[in-house]
């Protein structure tokens, strides 16, 4: 159990999902702008979460 002195580490699955979301969002941000970049990041995180669940 996590407490304020010993927080739990983020599971490896979530690290992979969030990292993929950041990478996808950054690529689309460079090519298309802010709103499509945020949308791509969110869609990537949701899709990977569904696939890996």
């Amino acid at each position: 159990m996590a407490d304020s002195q010993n927080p739990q580490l983020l599971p490896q699955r979530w690290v992979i999902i969030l990292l993929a979301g950041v990478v996808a969002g950054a690529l689309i941000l460079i090519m298309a702008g802010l709103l499509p970049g945020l949308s791509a990041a969110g869609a990537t995180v949701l899709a990977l979460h569904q696939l890996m669940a």
Side-chain angles (χ1 to χ4, degrees):
M1 178 172 236
D3 58 15
S4 62
Q5 299 296 336
N6 299 315
Q8 282 185 329
L9 293 175
L10 195 60
Q12 184 179 6
R13 177 177 62 126
W14 276 107
V15 171
I16 293 168
I17 290 171
L18 294 175
L19 184 60
V22 167
V23 170
L27 290 173
I28 301 301
L29 175 69
I30 291 169
M31 294 188 303
L34 182 62
L35 188 58
L38 291 174
S39 299
T44 301
V45 168
L46 289 174
L48 286 176
H49 174 63
Q50 289 296 320
L51 287 173
M52 296 177 83

